[in-house]
């Protein structure tokens, strides 16, 4: 298929061959062409990986035949050994490609596998040189380096990040944190100081949710040590359901002792609904509490959730409470939809 004059002639030949006929014969011909083309690329890659990679992007102009889903598999099979054995050559080729190709190749999972066996100084060089790529490709490439280090201990991974130049270390810290949130939320909580206060907010609720899956008390303690203006409803909604389930009495006492303010407002919906479900508060009492919610959209959603459940148990009482409330007629009509 590939000869010294034109390694693309085979692509054109089997494309033409596979497009003759009709029905299943046509599909079979195309499938065969793809398989042969893939095998030819892998054979070529043994001595000429650059040519094999470039040929893998070619399809017949004006033809409906494309390499398709097999493309990524073949490119992975070419790129993995190439970048592992001739790192500089492979990355140099990638840097010379257009934006679309850079993004496509930099996201191949096989890159992380190749980086697993490299020394820190090699990986550091790759991280530093990634700026020569498209911004998205550079991020993907650096993320692949860090993914390749995932088999190491958390301490080793963080030590590598700390060895990077300051600006690069900040960029690398984000994908590391993304991984730690899922695999080691306790360490993720300790490493929040790596980020500016405003940037931390994006991680806090996710850390709380991850911690709450296995240690609700610990997750709640984590939330309590956050700056007060970071203890938002999204953070509390990440941890309170698990804590309530584990230790309702403590959760209830904590809420009862809260002064009026942001924290009480952020946790009100979850605590009051739990009191209603446990028959520790009359539905009318909870309804009145929810009427005091300031944000209109939140008030409507919270009241609607309560009325939906209340209506199933006592439809007349739920409707009476709604009709006698101080809500506007428009709000009342909207909330009735929750009761049908």
């Amino acid at each position: 298929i590939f000869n010294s004059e034109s390694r693309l002639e085979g692509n054109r030949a089997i494309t033409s061959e596979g497009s003759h006929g009709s029905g299943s014969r046509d599909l079979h011909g195309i499938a065969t062409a793809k398989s042969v083309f893939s095998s030819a690329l892998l054979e070529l890659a043994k001595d000429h990986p650059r040519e094999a990679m470039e040929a893998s992007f070619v399809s017949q102009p004006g033809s409906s035949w494309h390499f398709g889903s097999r493309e990524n598999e073949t490119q992975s099979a070419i790129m993995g050994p190439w970048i592992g054995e001739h790192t500089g050559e492979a990355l140099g080729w990638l840097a010379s490609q257009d934006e679309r190709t850079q993004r496509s190749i930099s996201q191949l999972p096989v890159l992380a596998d190749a980086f697993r066996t490299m020394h820190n100084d090699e990986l550091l060089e790759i991280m530093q040189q990634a700026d020569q790529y498209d911004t998205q490709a550079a991020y993907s490439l650096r993320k692949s380096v860090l993914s390749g280090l995932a088999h190491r201990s958390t301490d080793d991974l963080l030590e590598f990040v700390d060895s990077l130049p300051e600006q690069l270390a900040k960029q690398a810290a984000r994908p590391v944190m993304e991984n730690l949130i899922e695999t080691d939320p306790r360490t993720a909580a300790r490493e929040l100081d790596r980020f500016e206060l405003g940037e931390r907010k994006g991680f806090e609720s996710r850390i709380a949710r991850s911690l709450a899956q296995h240690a609700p008390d610990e997750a709640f303690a984590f939330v309590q040590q956050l700056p007060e203006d970071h203890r938002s409803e999204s953070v509390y909604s990440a941890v309170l359901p698990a804590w309530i389930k584990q230790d309702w009495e403590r959760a209830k006492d904590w809420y009862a002792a809260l002064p009026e303010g942001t924290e009480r407002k952020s946790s009100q919906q979850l605590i009051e609904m739990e009191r209603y479900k446990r028959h520790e508060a009359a539905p009318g009492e909870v309804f009145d509490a929810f009427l005091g919610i300031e944000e209109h959209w939140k008030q409507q959603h919270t009241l609607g959730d309560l009325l939906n459940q209340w209506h199933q148990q006592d439809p007349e009482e739920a409707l009476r409470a709604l009709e006698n409330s101080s809500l506007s007629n428009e709000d009342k009509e909207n909330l009735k939809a929750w009761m049908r």
Side-chain angles (χ1 to χ4, degrees):
I1 293 178
F2 297 95
N3 56 55
S4 58
E5 293 182 3
S6 175
R7 291 189 173 91
L8 305 182
E9 284 304 314
N11 180 11
R12 297 191 180 102
I14 57 176
T15 298
S16 176
E17 190 70 28
S19 63
H20 291 306
S22 60
S24 61
R25 284 193 307 162
D26 184 44
L27 294 176
H28 176 72
I30 292 174
T32 301
K34 290 181 179 181
S35 178
V36 172
F37 187 47
S38 176
S39 298
L41 287 174
L42 296 178
E43 186 65 27
L44 176 67
K46 293 177 181 179
D47 298 314
H48 304 283
R50 178 189 296 270
E51 288 87 340
M53 281 300 298
E54 291 176 349
S56 72
F57 288 95
V58 177
S59 61
Q60 174 69 7
S63 168
S64 61
W65 186 88
H66 298 281
F67 199 14
S69 61
R70 189 183 290 269
E71 183 176 64
N72 279 347
E73 297 175 17
T74 305
Q75 289 171 349
S76 293
I78 298 169
M79 197 68 182
W82 189 21
I83 202 170
E85 298 170 12
H86 305 284
T87 309
E89 181 183 316
L91 292 178
W93 170 83
L94 183 59
S96 70
Q97 301 304 299
D98 60 29
E99 179 182 284
R100 182 177 180 182
T101 302
Q102 286 187 12
R103 292 181 179 184
S104 173
I105 297 301
S106 65
Q107 294 176 12
L108 292 177
V110 72
L111 297 189
D113 296 334
F115 295 147
R116 283 173 64 94
T117 58
M118 292 186 185
H119 298 297
N120 280 8
D121 56 345
E122 295 177 288
L123 298 175
L124 176 59
E125 186 176 356
I126 293 171
M127 295 283 284
Q128 291 176 318
Q129 293 181 354
D131 285 331
Q132 63 186 304
Y133 303 101
D134 163 73
T135 303
Q136 184 177 321
Y139 178 82
S140 297
L141 191 63
R142 287 171 174 150
K143 187 175 181 180
S144 292
V145 170
L146 297 169
S147 297
L149 296 173
H151 66 290
R152 302 186 186 181
S153 68
T154 299
D155 288 342
D156 285 347
L157 180 56
L158 293 173
E159 183 180 344
F160 174 76
V161 172
D162 289 336
S163 73
L164 299 171
E166 182 179 357
Q167 192 58 37
L168 195 53
K170 288 182 178 180
Q171 296 175 21
R174 176 169 287 277
V176 169
M177 178 62 80
E178 297 278 354
N179 182 62
L180 287 176
I181 289 173
E182 302 300 326
T183 61
D184 190 354
R186 290 184 177 90
T187 299
R190 293 197 299 269
E191 295 299 324
L192 270 174
D193 289 341
R194 291 176 177 272
F195 302 91
E196 299 293 334
L197 202 58
E199 194 176 6
R200 290 173 51 170
K201 282 188 175 183
F203 295 121
E204 288 165 350
S205 62
R206 294 171 58 197
I207 291 173
R209 181 173 289 106
S210 187
L211 276 171
Q213 292 177 8
H214 306 291
D217 279 342
E218 196 172 336
F220 184 74
F222 165 73
V223 171
Q224 290 301 101
Q225 57 84 38
L226 295 175
E228 185 175 356
D229 62 339
H230 283 220
R231 298 175 215 161
S232 62
E233 186 171 356
S234 65
V235 171
Y236 275 118
S237 66
V239 65
L240 277 181
W243 194 46
I244 286 171
K245 185 176 180 180
Q246 182 191 64
D247 196 343
W248 165 239
E249 292 301 321
R250 278 190 61 200
K252 180 174 60 175
D253 292 344
W254 164 79
Y255 177 75
L258 284 176
E260 291 297 328
T262 303
E263 249 184 317
R264 189 175 184 87
K265 290 178 180 178
S266 296
S267 53
Q268 179 186 39
Q269 179 183 0
L270 288 166
I271 295 291
E272 293 292 354
M273 283 299 295
E274 190 67 21
R275 291 180 66 221
Y276 164 67
K277 292 175 183 177
R278 290 173 180 264
H279 306 291
E280 295 183 13
E285 178 186 349
V286 178
F287 182 84
D288 290 341
F290 287 168
L291 283 174
I293 296 175
E294 295 175 0
E295 299 92 335
H296 181 260
W297 69 268
K298 181 181 175 184
Q299 179 203 63
Q300 290 289 287
H301 184 274
T302 306
L303 285 171
D305 187 25
L306 172 64
L307 287 168
N308 175 266
Q309 298 184 48
W310 190 5
H311 183 262
Q312 295 177 38
Q313 299 173 350
D314 191 341
E316 293 183 1
E317 187 64 25
L319 184 59
R320 187 179 302 113
L322 178 61
E323 292 290 6
N324 293 337
S325 72
S326 59
L327 294 168
S328 68
N329 289 334
E330 181 181 359
D331 285 346
K332 290 177 182 179
E333 289 303 313
N334 289 334
L335 287 168
K336 286 178 183 178
W338 290 72
M339 303 166 64
R340 295 183 184 129

